[in-house]
Amino acid sequence: MAATDKPLLIKRYASRRLYNTETSDYVTLDDIATFIRAGREVQIVDLKSGDDLTRQYLLQIIAEHESRGESVLGVDLLTDLVRSYTSQAASVVPQFLTASFEMLRDGQSKAMENMTKTNPLLKMPGFEAMRTQQEAFFKAMTGGLIPGVSREPQKGKPADDLETIKAQLAEMQDKLSKMGK
């Protein structure tokens, strides 16, 4: 089994420091969030008791992102979540949320797949640039949840190079206007 097939084991010491057992160094919550965004499963355990603390730390990561203005969860959703802890909905909510995220990932994956399948637009000049732009848009809107879309910037290409995007868009518009004539 490859190292990436099993969860990355993070141990929490009594000092509350988090230790990456693969690289033998200390990590932060931001580091753990980066591992997860890269597609890695993470397991956080208390060194002394052996208790699984993964849920606690994942919730803390979400809370920190939300408090920094990186809001994904609206007030209505958060209110409903709080209500679900005190009602019969508590038994249904986890399955519903899991199924919803699976549907979102599957739908995004299929959308990307359909963009690259036998499509008459594939032969159109500038299509590759348009497809790249759509992938970047999906990635930006979903925080990199789309399987098959690189989560890391390509070598030699800045991730947020607005001028490159503008130039590609202008090139596509030019080619499309020439096709219409």
Side-chain angles (χ1 to χ4, degrees):
M1 180 183 283
T4 58
D5 291 342
K6 61 183 177 182
L8 171 60
L9 181 61
I10 306 289
K11 294 183 179 179
R12 184 185 78 174
Y13 285 93
S15 65
R16 298 201 180 273
R17 291 191 72 186
L18 301 169
Y19 185 76
N20 181 340
T21 59
E22 283 185 8
T23 59
S24 300
D25 61 352
Y26 291 101
V27 294
T28 65
L29 288 178
D30 283 337
D31 295 329
I32 293 170
T34 301
F35 299 144
I36 293 168
R37 282 188 203 101
R40 191 71 194 270
E41 295 296 321
V42 174
Q43 182 181 19
I44 304 168
V45 296
D46 184 86
L47 180 66
K48 188 173 182 180
S49 69
D51 291 343
D52 189 340
L53 306 173
T54 307
R55 289 174 40 92
Q56 171 186 333
Y57 278 93
L58 293 177
L59 287 168
Q60 189 174 344
I61 290 168
I62 291 168
E64 285 190 13
H65 281 280
E66 289 287 321
S67 69
R68 287 189 288 213
E70 301 171 27
S71 298
V72 172
L73 306 172
V75 173
D76 291 341
L77 175 61
L78 292 171
T79 303
D80 288 341
L81 282 172
V82 170
R83 282 186 187 121
S84 74
Y85 280 93
T86 59
S87 71
Q88 296 291 337
S91 63
V92 177
V93 171
Q95 292 89 3
F96 173 75
L97 290 174
T98 300
S100 296
F101 273 100
E102 285 175 6
M103 285 177 31
L104 177 65
R105 279 191 300 267
D106 290 346
Q108 291 167 342
S109 178
K110 287 177 184 168
M112 293 309 297
E113 200 175 290
N114 288 337
M115 279 179 27
T116 57
K117 276 188 177 175
T118 56
N119 186 337
L121 295 175
L122 286 174
K123 294 179 176 64
M124 182 178 92
F127 178 77
E128 185 59 32
M130 183 173 68
R131 189 179 69 76
T132 303
Q133 292 299 321
Q134 286 178 330
E135 284 180 0
F137 172 76
F138 279 133
K139 180 180 173 189
M141 294 304 291
T142 62
L145 290 174
I146 307 170
V149 175
S150 172
R151 291 173 174 87
E152 297 297 322
Q154 295 176 357
K155 289 191 182 353
K157 274 187 154 180
D160 295 317
D161 189 357
L162 186 57
E163 294 305 315
T164 302
I165 293 170
K166 285 180 180 178
Q168 290 173 344
L169 184 57
E171 181 183 328
M172 285 186 343
Q173 288 173 335
D174 186 48
K175 288 179 181 179
L176 287 172
S177 66
K178 287 179 183 176
M179 289 177 61
K181 292 181 180 177

